[in-house]
Amino acid sequence: MKKLLLQLDSDKHPSVFDCITAYDAGVDDVLSYGGVALEDVRNLVYGAMFTRGGEDLKNTAIFIGGSDVPTGEAMLKEVLNTFFGPVRVSVMADPNGSNTTAAAAVRKITGAIDVRGRKAVVFAGTGPVGMRVCTLLAKEGAEVHLTSRKMERAEATCELIKSRFGLEVTPHQVADDEAARAVLEGAEILMTTGAPGVMLVKEEIWKANPTLKVMADVNAVPPTGIEGIKPHWDGKEKEGKVIFGALGIGGLKMKIHRGCVARLFEANDLVLDVEEIYEIAKGYQ
Amino acid sequence: MKKLLLQLDSDKHPSVFDCITAYDAGVDDVLSYGGVALEDVRNLVYGAMFTRGGEDLKNTAIFIGGSDVPTGEAMLKEVLNTFFGPVRVSVMADPNGSNTTAAAAVRKITGAIDVRGRKAVVFAGTGPVGMRVCTLLAKEGAEVHLTSRKMERAEATCELIKSRFGLEVTPHQVADDEAARAVLEGAEILMTTGAPGVMLVKEEIWKANPTLKVMADVNAVPPTGIEGIKPHWDGKEKEGKVIFGALGIGGLKMKIHRGCVARLFEANDLVLDVEEIYEIAKGYQ
Amino acid sequence: MKKLLLQLDSDKHPSVFDCITAYDAGVDDVLSYGGVALEDVRNLVYGAMFTRGGEDLKNTAIFIGGSDVPTGEAMLKEVLNTFFGPVRVSVMADPNGSNTTAAAAVRKITGAIDVRGRKAVVFAGTGPVGMRVCTLLAKEGAEVHLTSRKMERAEATCELIKSRFGLEVTPHQVADDEAARAVLEGAEILMTTGAPGVMLVKEEIWKANPTLKVMADVNAVPPTGIEGIKPHWDGKEKEGKVIFGALGIGGLKMKIHRGCVARLFEANDLVLDVEEIYEIAKGYQ
């Protein structure tokens, strides 16, 4: 029986990246659906739930992608609401690669330093990847600080993390170099998760910081979020810091992504969201 | 050479159910097209007709689905009009599962009773499944009665069956319990094919009827069309009647659906509509 | 690792023909995208470029189809602009079958006659296939003449061929039988590439021409572009001329199409446009 993956994507065209990655994870055929609205989800999921039965159900699974992360999150809820009892299939949510990217970044950081009790600062942490990185670092026991140019946005994200995961993250407004320098005082971990093309931490700032030990950034396209680093750096040591660029993280992200998709077909009741994906990520480095 | 199935679906998103079922029937790859308008059909069919030749043509086939049954019926006509001579591929029409569901229901009924000359009443028989159930029961020699809340709709459906299949079905207006009780007098077979969520025959009515021997319903979601039965009943005997619920019928429907799709690839000139699907259904129980 | 082909098509529904042909060329799975706008291309190509790396990149390729040839040409440019350095995949452009059809037609002609220095007239040569046939014949050393009902259109196409390929083609206005007869004086090769349903050269004209040796037409649906010939003729000799109809050419076109798609997966840096497709076509007859 073929392993079939139902790819649900809210973008006009379903992600080519997610589709190819699924094939490389061992899926026999991907059923790609683009332009999926929230109200379309139920019927599509019924088609996945009701076609195969019993032991065979685990050969069908659902992947939720799309560049719009809040919509992807809402789609996951709708998928879970559509299942009833044991009549369900496994599902993985990774809209815009947010979960696998965050898991890979935190795996890189925890592979370089024991984060427990250490101060970690996530710059521009209000987006999907940043919020997930904060969550995973906090779960690992780090003392996590999140920055945004606007205090309200930083606070809102911290409250969301608190309500959803029960974890404490401290919000900071950082809109200039002085504030950046201040928030990094005593920090051992620096991560930037800003929009493409925005440089968040100047080279002179991180070089002058004596406590920083590990730095990571997710921008593949110049300028990088941390000035003076290269996207392909994958644990490069410079000025006493271990540094990970977007491509260094990206290689691991890809392995995690494939590993999670493969895992979907081992049972019919898995729900792979940020925490579960991070658990699976621990098998990769 | 791969077995390829062209799935034509008038819904925004092509049916996941039909697609997975096709893979389970042995199709190598499904070419799923959603949002197919009648005027799109010709070009899509040309692509299926003209790519492979001779003996190879039978490795391509067409499946017409979609929740809108009249559109699916019009699409089948358009597909057949597009073929010319031996340059054609096999095609199966099963919009909204109407043909396979009707075939499965009638197979269940005929497996439980010899319907020849027996009175059968199909409640709310004006929809796609009901109209097909009436047709197949009449073909099997039953004396078929069709009910609707409105006499004009009942008559129109009976006339359609007459003109399309040359079979006699008697229309009845049934809008209350009294009429339901009356139309069931002397009936041995009761089938309900109403909209989801509409209860059509009260428990007290069918229990009090001494002649009824077989009952079937196609509503999987409560309330069932026949009060007091369960969707998973698959030939359960109660009060002297043999009863089939929607899931009992559904299991057989799935086998028939898969069997028909597999059959498509045995020749390049099959046209599987309600009658042909019912013939194939005789190989399953 | 599966051979995956990303099919980009500007039509509402991606071509069934192109998809089936890809499977028959050995592609494991086709990722079919319809309704692709020029601005969608970059993201789709990123998905194809960034999922697999190094040696594996050659297992992903891109096919550009669609009935709108100028859009397909613009899409090819956009695809090439999206690649950077060695991070790329092979790509084939064949919008509306224009490249493979032209290559097949010219292969048929050059198989029947040594075209070097011979006068060739391409009627209604301003469309995508005609423009490509003129180009390939000129590259093979023929003295090529292109006709149109309007001189400006003929001239514009010749200028396009000059600027894009550096080849000389002579424009002619041909709007009546007298002009048709005149332009064919001394010609040995006649090809018609007009719109379906338009007869361009009367039987009495080509039969009365003593120099014509080879004739070809691409209209499968009557009337043919050259009066009195049959679409299935594949080198038939009549009145001293060797004649190719649309289906005769079409069989070779299909082989070339499949051969080119198969070739895509031999390296990750191929760009198959009209000239490269014609080179590959030389391996088929």
Side-chain angles (χ1 to χ4, degrees):
Chain A
M1 177 167 278
K2 285 193 170 196
K3 290 181 193 170
L4 301 177
L5 184 70
L6 175 60
Q7 179 190 7
L8 303 181
D9 198 310
S10 59
D11 293 344
K12 175 187 171 190
H13 296 298
S15 162
V16 171
F17 183 97
D18 290 340
C19 183
I20 294 180
T21 303
Y23 280 116
D24 287 346
V27 170
D28 289 307
D29 275 291
V30 180
L31 283 57
S32 292
Y33 286 79
V36 176
L38 208 51
E39 61 265 28
D40 300 332
V41 169
R42 182 166 294 263
N43 260 325
L44 295 169
V45 173
Y46 279 152
M49 289 162 60
F50 289 131
T51 353
R52 294 160 160 186
E55 265 300 294
D56 292 336
L57 264 175
K58 73 176 182 193
N59 293 307
T60 305
I62 297 173
F63 178 90
I64 298 171
S67 58
D68 180 339
V69 177
T71 294
E73 292 171 335
M75 285 168 68
L76 176 59
K77 277 189 196 157
E78 180 70 4
V79 167
L80 297 177
N81 282 336
T82 302
F83 294 153
F84 44 88
V87 183
R88 58 191 297 144
V89 299
S90 288
V91 56
M92 170 179 177
D94 196 27
N96 214 25
S98 52
N99 285 331
T100 49
T101 300
V106 174
R107 277 292 293 160
K108 287 290 183 189
I109 292 168
T110 58
I113 190 174
D114 181 347
V115 302
R116 284 175 295 180
R118 311 301 173 85
K119 179 174 179 184
V121 184
V122 180
F123 273 71
T126 57
V129 171
M131 179 269 206
R132 284 158 170 81
V133 165
C134 289
T135 299
L136 296 176
L137 284 173
K139 271 182 71 86
E140 289 288 353
E143 175 202 317
V144 183
H145 298 258
L146 176 160
T147 86
S148 173
R149 275 167 302 177
K150 299 197 174 174
M151 192 59 182
E152 306 81 58
R153 295 199 61 212
E155 287 173 342
T157 305
C158 290
E159 278 159 26
L160 183 63
I161 293 170
K162 174 76 177 171
S163 69
R164 188 163 156 199
F165 300 100
L167 295 164
E168 298 288 347
V169 173
T170 308
H172 296 267
Q173 178 171 23
V174 173
D176 54 31
D177 291 347
E178 191 180 358
R181 208 173 277 119
V183 79
L184 284 170
E185 259 175 44
E188 298 186 39
I189 299 148
L190 158 62
M191 168 112 212
T192 49
T193 57
V198 178
M199 193 270 286
L200 292 159
V201 181
K202 283 190 181 154
E203 194 165 357
E204 60 180 69
I205 293 178
W206 63 263
K207 282 191 175 168
N209 184 305
T211 54
L212 273 179
K213 293 199 176 69
V214 181
M215 312 195 313
D217 174 55
V218 293
N219 268 357
V221 179
T224 49
I226 301 170
E227 191 184 32
I229 74 166
K230 299 287 183 194
H232 67 269
W233 285 359
D234 187 17
K236 180 174 178 84
E237 292 198 36
K238 196 174 172 187
E239 309 276 334
K241 290 112 173 66
V242 178
I243 306 172
F244 300 94
L247 300 182
I249 293 169
L252 178 57
K253 176 234 181 288
M254 187 75 77
K255 288 186 203 170
I256 294 169
H257 188 153
R258 280 199 298 263
C260 289
V261 172
R263 186 70 67 88
L264 288 173
F265 296 90
E266 295 180 4
N268 77 317
D269 58 358
L270 300 177
V271 180
L272 305 187
D273 202 352
V274 58
E275 294 170 289
E276 297 83 6
I277 287 170
Y278 183 66
E279 282 306 308
I280 292 172
K282 290 181 179 172
Y284 299 89
Q285 59 183 10
Chain B
M1 177 167 278
K2 284 192 170 195
K3 290 181 192 170
L4 301 177
L5 185 69
L6 175 59
Q7 179 190 6
L8 303 181
D9 197 310
S10 60
D11 293 344
K12 174 186 171 191
H13 296 298
S15 162
V16 171
F17 183 97
D18 290 340
C19 183
I20 294 179
T21 303
Y23 280 116
D24 288 345
V27 170
D28 289 307
D29 275 291
V30 180
L31 284 57
S32 292
Y33 286 78
V36 176
L38 208 52
E39 61 265 28
D40 300 332
V41 169
R42 182 165 294 262
N43 260 325
L44 295 169
V45 173
Y46 279 152
M49 289 163 60
F50 289 131
T51 352
R52 294 160 160 187
E55 264 300 294
D56 292 337
L57 264 174
K58 73 177 182 192
N59 292 307
T60 306
I62 297 173
F63 178 90
I64 298 170
S67 59
D68 180 339
V69 177
T71 294
E73 292 171 335
M75 285 168 68
L76 175 59
K77 277 189 195 157
E78 180 70 4
V79 167
L80 297 177
N81 282 337
T82 302
F83 294 153
F84 44 88
V87 183
R88 58 191 297 144
V89 299
S90 288
V91 56
M92 170 179 176
D94 197 26
N96 214 25
S98 53
N99 285 331
T100 49
T101 300
V106 174
R107 277 292 292 159
K108 287 290 183 188
I109 292 167
T110 58
I113 190 174
D114 182 347
V115 302
R116 285 174 296 180
R118 311 301 173 86
K119 179 175 180 182
V121 184
V122 180
F123 273 72
T126 56
V129 171
M131 178 270 206
R132 284 157 170 81
V133 165
C134 289
T135 299
L136 296 176
L137 284 173
K139 270 182 72 87
E140 290 287 354
E143 175 202 317
V144 183
H145 298 257
L146 177 160
T147 86
S148 173
R149 274 167 303 178
K150 298 196 175 176
M151 192 58 181
E152 306 82 58
R153 295 199 61 212
E155 287 172 342
T157 305
C158 290
E159 278 159 26
L160 183 64
I161 293 170
K162 174 75 178 171
S163 69
R164 187 163 156 198
F165 300 100
L167 295 164
E168 298 288 347
V169 173
T170 309
H172 296 266
Q173 177 170 25
V174 173
D176 55 31
D177 292 347
E178 192 180 358
R181 208 173 276 118
V183 78
L184 284 170
E185 260 176 43
E188 298 185 40
I189 299 148
L190 159 62
M191 168 113 212
T192 48
T193 57
V198 178
M199 192 270 286
L200 292 159
V201 181
K202 283 190 182 154
E203 194 164 357
E204 61 180 70
I205 293 177
W206 63 263
K207 282 191 175 167
N209 183 305
T211 55
L212 273 178
K213 293 199 176 70
V214 181
M215 313 195 312
D217 174 55
V218 293
N219 268 357
V221 180
T224 50
I226 301 170
E227 190 184 33
I229 74 167
K230 299 286 182 195
H232 67 269
W233 286 359
D234 187 17
K236 178 172 179 87
E237 292 198 35
K238 194 173 174 187
E239 308 275 333
K241 290 110 173 68
V242 178
I243 306 172
F244 300 93
L247 300 181
I249 293 169
L252 178 57
K253 176 235 181 287
M254 187 75 77
K255 288 186 202 171
I256 294 169
H257 187 153
R258 280 199 298 263
C260 289
V261 172
R263 186 70 67 88
L264 288 173
F265 296 91
E266 295 180 3
N268 77 318
D269 59 358
L270 301 177
V271 180
L272 305 187
D273 202 353
V274 58
E275 294 170 289
E276 298 82 6
I277 287 170
Y278 183 66
E279 281 306 308
I280 292 172
K282 289 180 179 172
Y284 300 89
Q285 60 183 10
Chain C
M1 178 168 277
K2 284 192 170 196
K3 290 181 192 170
L4 301 177
L5 185 69
L6 176 59
Q7 179 189 7
L8 303 181
D9 197 310
S10 60
D11 293 344
K12 175 186 171 190
H13 296 298
S15 163
V16 172
F17 183 97
D18 290 340
C19 183
I20 294 180
T21 302
Y23 280 116
D24 287 346
V27 170
D28 289 307
D29 275 291
V30 180
L31 283 56
S32 292
Y33 286 79
V36 176
L38 208 51
E39 61 265 29
D40 300 333
V41 169
R42 182 165 294 263
N43 259 325
L44 295 169
V45 173
Y46 279 152
M49 289 162 60
F50 289 131
T51 352
R52 293 160 161 187
E55 264 300 294
D56 292 337
L57 264 175
K58 73 177 182 192
N59 293 307
T60 305
I62 297 173
F63 178 91
I64 298 171
S67 58
D68 180 339
V69 177
T71 294
E73 292 171 335
M75 285 168 68
L76 175 59
K77 277 189 197 158
E78 180 70 3
V79 167
L80 297 177
N81 282 336
T82 302
F83 295 153
F84 44 88
V87 183
R88 58 191 297 144
V89 298
S90 288
V91 56
M92 170 179 177
D94 196 27
N96 214 25
S98 53
N99 285 331
T100 49
T101 300
V106 174
R107 277 292 293 159
K108 287 291 183 187
I109 292 168
T110 58
I113 190 174
D114 182 348
V115 303
R116 284 175 296 180
R118 312 301 174 86
K119 179 174 179 183
V121 184
V122 180
F123 273 71
T126 56
V129 171
M131 178 270 206
R132 284 158 170 80
V133 164
C134 289
T135 299
L136 296 176
L137 284 173
K139 270 183 70 86
E140 289 287 353
E143 175 201 317
V144 183
H145 299 258
L146 177 159
T147 87
S148 173
R149 273 167 303 176
K150 299 197 174 175
M151 192 58 181
E152 306 81 58
R153 295 199 61 212
E155 287 173 342
T157 305
C158 290
E159 279 159 27
L160 183 63
I161 293 170
K162 174 77 178 170
S163 69
R164 187 162 157 199
F165 300 100
L167 295 164
E168 297 288 346
V169 174
T170 309
H172 296 266
Q173 177 170 24
V174 173
D176 54 31
D177 292 347
E178 192 180 356
R181 208 173 277 117
V183 78
L184 284 170
E185 259 176 43
E188 297 185 41
I189 299 148
L190 159 62
M191 168 111 212
T192 49
T193 56
V198 178
M199 192 270 286
L200 292 159
V201 181
K202 283 190 181 156
E203 193 165 357
E204 60 181 68
I205 292 178
W206 63 263
K207 282 191 175 168
N209 183 305
T211 55
L212 273 178
K213 292 198 176 70
V214 181
M215 312 195 314
D217 173 55
V218 293
N219 268 356
V221 179
T224 49
I226 301 170
E227 191 184 32
I229 74 166
K230 299 286 183 194
H232 67 270
W233 285 359
D234 187 17
K236 178 172 179 87
E237 292 198 36
K238 195 173 172 187
E239 309 276 333
K241 290 111 173 67
V242 178
I243 306 172
F244 300 94
L247 300 182
I249 293 169
L252 178 57
K253 177 236 181 286
M254 187 75 77
K255 288 185 203 171
I256 294 169
H257 187 153
R258 279 198 299 263
C260 289
V261 172
R263 186 70 66 88
L264 288 173
F265 296 90
E266 295 180 4
N268 77 317
D269 59 358
L270 301 177
V271 180
L272 305 188
D273 202 352
V274 58
E275 294 170 289
E276 298 82 6
I277 287 170
Y278 182 65
E279 282 307 307
I280 293 172
K282 289 181 179 172
Y284 300 89
Q285 60 183 11

